[in-house]
Amino acid sequence: MSASEHLKHPTLECLLSGKPSASTIQYRGLKYASIPRRWAESTSNDALQIDSNRVFDATRFGPSCPQKRGGQAWDVSLVGDTTLAKEFGQGDDAKMDEFECLHLNITVPKTALAAKNTDGVGLPVFVWVHGGGLSLGSNSWPQYDLTKFVERSVRIGKPVIGVAINYRVNIFGFLASEELGIGGNLGYKDQAVAFRWIKKHIAGFGGDPTNITAAGESAGGISLSTLLCANIGNEGLFERVVIMSGETTLRKPRNKKWQEAMYQDQLKYLGASKLDVADRRRLFNETDAEELVQRLPLAQHFCGFIDGKWLKEDPTLMSLANPRSKLHKPDWCKEFVIGDTAHDGTILKARILDAPNTFDHLQDLCSRHLTPSQTHALLSAYQLHPPPPPAQLPQHLLHLASELRFYLPVLSAHRGWTTSSPPLRAHRYHFHIANPVPGPYKGLSSHELDVACLLLNFEHAFDAQSYAAALQMADRFVRFVNGEGWAEEGCVVVFEGRGAQEVEVGAYDKRFRGGRGKVLEGIGEERVWGLAEAWQGVRGEEGVEGRGARL
């Protein structure tokens, strides 16, 4: 790239060389924050490492947060038996660095760069927060590349700028321990710093800092939902948000006692339970970061910490649904979208669906958490009473796991926004596109297939009809990012094989879910959430018994 092709960035005070595509340029590895030391909160970084010509080479991906190797391929397997082309640094050969992992990839339409020195308003900005169960993931993974999404926005005449953020995961982002002096929530706080950096510097890329839409799926959705509950001040992080297949109660922030039990799990995994305090501190503070995580499971049930300062309140489905509570409904977020996939429970296959005697366990838990009439209503709604033939049982359990963990929270969070006084701008979507990719989830509207459709990185694995439906999904998001609204008032958006359609809110549950959402709401959020947590095997806070679920 010649000097004339370099982006001269006014607030970063340097030139940037990026990676071009047909209609975009992607600026990679833009370090937005520094980490002073292990377990410390990150601080905003405005000085990129430049060469003698004041140029920052933004053609290469930055390092990932240290995590167990193999996560990228495992994540793709949630879509099906396929692979994605990778550049160096995108897969198992990705560099890991605990202190250099906080960076952004910014994908910009070439037209925006050509026009950015005019007096016009900048382009709307789409910020993607990756998933991975808060245990793994990276903005460099090819399934999270925003190039095709931004190219699509250009093609339909509604260009946007795409930003993919990195944040600390697993123990480096979410461990909390009094013994180690770790306050928790570091990964979430990293994300807040990233959004502040974007607000400050996106104009230099041709973006509008007052027109930011954040979106994330699974742990990304959990993250954004948790940020809506956090004490971040009156200056907002984004103007719109799309929370996909996971909100804060799916990984509900926990109290000190629960977090200490999680710390004890790490000691067991590392064979350090019998070490004295000084040796445990040395182990956690001085062991090489990548060596440390390779000795831990691929994924654990990490979550936020209710520390009384950054996360002051205990978010529950009841508080999210309560129109009188400001929790999860901050004034700075002006528009809210939340949704799920019909078979999100595929992500719980190992924890619930494949567990030995899972149906017997469910019935036992129903007797503990529900009344007899509630148990009858629940099991009947999912065709589990009387018990179905063994060959049909997995399908009904999948529907139940999906709707306990994902569908009911969508209904609850959406209701909290729309029943506030005055009503807040909130919308729903539901994803019913059948998975076209060979593998264990073919034919299902499986967890993470929505990301494959939205970001358009699996065209090679999709048939023509499925890819056409994916384009409609991407177009709907692009229009929303451009401020054109989500759906007609009183309607939800349904993504299905024929594309996107709007369905009246009152008709959706009966038409697409057999009225089961009404049954779950009738039982009540608190009871249903407690049942779901227990069925998944998540450690409870009362008495802190059991083990934390892996996913």
Side-chain angles (χ1 to χ4, degrees), residues 196 199 232-237 332:
R196 300 280 190 224
K199 287 278 188 184
I232 62 142
N234 294 325
E235 184 183 349
L237 302 178
W332 50 262

Side-chain angles (χ1 to χ4, degrees), residues 419-437:
T419 57
S420 295
S421 183
L424 303 172
R425 296 180 67 188
H427 320 275
R428 274 169 39 199
Y429 78 86
H430 301 284
F431 181 93
H432 289 267
I433 297 174
N435 194 331
V437 184

Side-chain angles (χ1 to χ4, degrees), residues 29 34 153 201 203 290 335 368 390 404 476 497:
S34 299
S153 75
H201 295 296
E290 189 171 353
E335 198 161 9
R368 299 187 209 174
L404 289 178
R476 177 74 61 154

